[in-house]
Amino acid sequence: MIAWPDPNVSGGDTSVLSPKDKENRELSDQRVLGGGGFVGAVLQESERLLEKKYKPKQPIEELIEVVAEQLDISPELICSGSRKRLISDARALLAYLAVEETGHKATDVARVLGIKRVSVHHAVKKGKKVLENLLSPL
């Protein structure tokens, strides 16, 4: 005969593992990962990241066209080394959209823009702020 461990002795409530009541069953065993809410949030974030990684990506060149049109500048200026604020902001916005929103690798964005990968990471941070400023009411 198999002796099941006492839940009070084994370190947790094993009733969350019971398949009897599917509506009230937790997504995890609290003894390992914490509550079901935490595990649910982690699973949602994981799904979002996987979707971003594997969904078809809009080409970086198309993103350049979109950003250039929205900011009313030439697409060639975005790929130039210009340090003018508007052009720098456009490059940062492009980096943010390409890396964070469409899932391109920073290496690929760096290659198109002619900058270093680490510069793309800095531009992504700046691009998020640029986007927030563009979207915020005046």
Side-chain angles (χ1 to χ4, degrees), residues 71 88-90 92-93 125-135:
L71 297 179
S88 173
D89 287 350
L93 182 58
K125 291 177 187 175
K126 180 182 174 186
K128 183 175 183 179
K129 292 176 186 174
V130 169
L131 183 61
E132 288 170 357
N133 290 337
L134 288 173
L135 297 178

Side-chain angles (χ1 to χ4, degrees), residues 33-85:
L33 293 174
F38 168 75
V39 174
V42 169
L43 288 173
Q44 282 181 338
E45 179 65 13
S46 175
E47 275 185 34
R48 187 187 71 77
L49 291 173
L50 281 173
E51 181 180 303
K52 183 171 83 169
K53 183 175 182 177
Y54 292 109
K55 73 178 180 181
K57 297 175 181 142
Q58 184 176 11
I60 297 172
E61 292 75 14
E62 284 183 21
L63 288 172
I64 291 172
E65 296 288 334
V66 170
V67 170
E69 184 178 317
Q70 291 299 315
L71 297 179
D72 197 28
I73 61 173
S74 166
E76 292 80 25
L77 288 175
I78 293 176
C79 295
S80 73
S82 175
R83 295 176 135 189
K84 290 184 180 178
R85 178 175 292 264

